[in-house]
Amino acid sequence: MELQLTKPICFFDLETTGINIAVDRIVEISILKVFPNGNKESHTWRVNPTVPIPAATTAVHGITDEMVANEPTFKELAKKVYDLIKDSDLGGFNSNRFDIPLLAEELLRAEIDFDMKKNLAVDVQTIFHKKEKRTLEAAYKFYCDKELVDAHSAAADTNATYEVLKAQLDRYPDLENDMSTLAEFSAHRKFADFAGYIGYNKKGKEMFAFGKHKGTLVEDVLENEPGYFGWLLNADFPLYTKKVLTRIKLSKLNNKF
């Protein structure tokens, strides 16, 4: 079953220096852009992370410091990546919890104001886990009856993810072929930021999802405890979380005038 699209969707996968969204870096990115008319374009870049790649991480994806030493940095690639995805929804495998948050961090470090407000995110892993609860290799075998060769290479994982989503739509008649429905089905609990520090209450207002102010409206805390905002901005939180906090604070200030 082909995807029913009203706008392009970019399936993408990252290989990185680690799994810490706030500090780790991309070493390889692959993007498969699928257009509503069925056309596709794909791009894969190796990336110099400007920091050492831990041996334990190299053991997973096979990318060494020497292999990326002469590759462009992400900052040098950022505009190309952004131009490719800015008009698209995003799809990936565990992308809502890892790939999208980490990509957002890298784009913000490159001074590109990345925001997902107008884009949907379809996480194929979440659909898979809700239906079958397995890994990408198992998903590819289960849905497509193929062996995933070169697992943990960004290009192989990206193409497998795209094929798995199409096969999921064929397998599950109740799974609607619509990006909004797929994004909602593959979403975890909804957060205002990617990392899950800022959630929503029943009225759709942002509230802290961690720490001493957990469950309290963000705008109330920022107004009543100004020093907390400064601490948050200087602490080791993801840049996108800080961007959301700043937006809330500015919105509150603007509403006063």
Side-chain angles (χ1 to χ4, degrees):
M1 183 182 294
E2 290 300 325
L3 305 182
Q4 293 182 8
L5 303 174
T6 57
K7 65 191 294 187
I9 182 169
C10 285
F11 293 90
F12 78 104
D13 185 71
L14 307 177
E15 303 302 334
T16 65
T17 59
I19 58 174
N20 187 321
I21 292 167
V23 301
D24 278 306
R25 301 290 191 268
I26 295 170
V27 298
E28 186 175 67
I29 178 171
S30 186
I31 300 174
L32 173 65
K33 187 168 187 176
V34 183
F35 294 87
N37 64 3
N39 289 345
K40 306 178 188 72
E41 64 174 287
S42 61
H43 303 268
T44 300
W45 295 279
R46 286 275 173 87
V47 184
N48 183 341
T50 72
V51 297
I53 304 172
T57 307
T58 294
V60 175
H61 53 50
I63 301 173
T64 65
D65 292 330
E66 292 75 21
M67 293 167 68
V68 295
N70 296 318
E71 299 293 344
T73 65
F74 188 83
K75 188 168 186 177
E76 292 171 318
L77 290 170
K79 189 176 185 307
K80 289 181 182 179
V81 171
Y82 181 68
D83 286 345
L84 195 60
I85 70 173
K86 64 183 180 182
D87 64 338
S88 306
D89 294 326
L90 296 179
F93 198 85
N94 193 33
S95 49
N96 284 359
R97 290 185 171 183
F98 181 72
D99 297 84
I100 291 176
L102 200 146
L103 178 62
E105 291 298 293
E106 289 279 39
L107 287 169
L108 289 170
R109 286 188 200 106
E111 300 179 350
I112 291 179
D113 190 19
F114 177 72
D115 203 307
M116 282 288 291
K117 286 183 180 178
K118 296 181 180 179
N119 309 88
L120 299 173
V122 178
D123 193 328
V124 173
Q125 185 195 60
T126 305
I127 296 173
F128 181 37
H129 284 180
K130 284 185 175 181
K131 294 292 187 180
E132 306 296 341
K133 303 187 186 304
R134 302 193 183 180
T135 63
L136 178 57
E137 288 88 343
Y140 198 50
K141 179 65 177 177
F142 181 83
Y143 289 111
C144 305
D145 197 25
K146 298 177 183 178
E147 299 295 333
L148 181 52
V149 180
D150 294 329
H152 297 298
S153 78
D157 288 358
T158 297
N159 282 284
T161 299
Y162 168 58
E163 290 187 41
V164 166
L165 179 57
K166 294 197 296 179
Q168 286 173 331
L169 291 167
D170 285 327
R171 182 174 290 268
Y172 305 117
D174 62 321
L175 202 59
E176 189 175 345
N177 190 350
D178 170 78
M179 293 306 107
S180 295
T181 303
L182 292 172
E184 182 178 355
F185 187 82
S186 64
H188 296 280
R189 179 183 170 191
K190 190 175 181 181
F191 291 95
D193 65 333
F194 294 126
Y197 290 107
I198 306 170
Y200 293 99
N201 64 13
K202 291 181 180 179
K203 295 182 179 179
K205 299 287 288 184
E206 295 94 342
M207 65 180 186
F208 283 107
F210 75 101
K212 66 179 183 179
H213 293 301
K214 185 175 181 180
T216 306
L217 290 179
V218 174
E219 61 181 31
D220 290 346
V221 174
L222 298 186
E223 182 174 16
N224 299 328
E225 195 175 333
Y228 194 60
F229 178 68
W231 175 78
L232 290 167
L233 292 188
N234 290 310
D236 190 21
F237 289 100
L239 294 176
Y240 198 88
T241 300
K242 295 176 181 180
K243 171 185 168 74
V244 171
L245 289 167
T246 302
R247 174 181 57 76
I248 296 169
K249 185 173 180 65
L250 291 174
S251 177
K252 184 70 173 180
L253 289 173
N254 289 335
N255 287 337
K256 288 184 176 181
F257 297 104

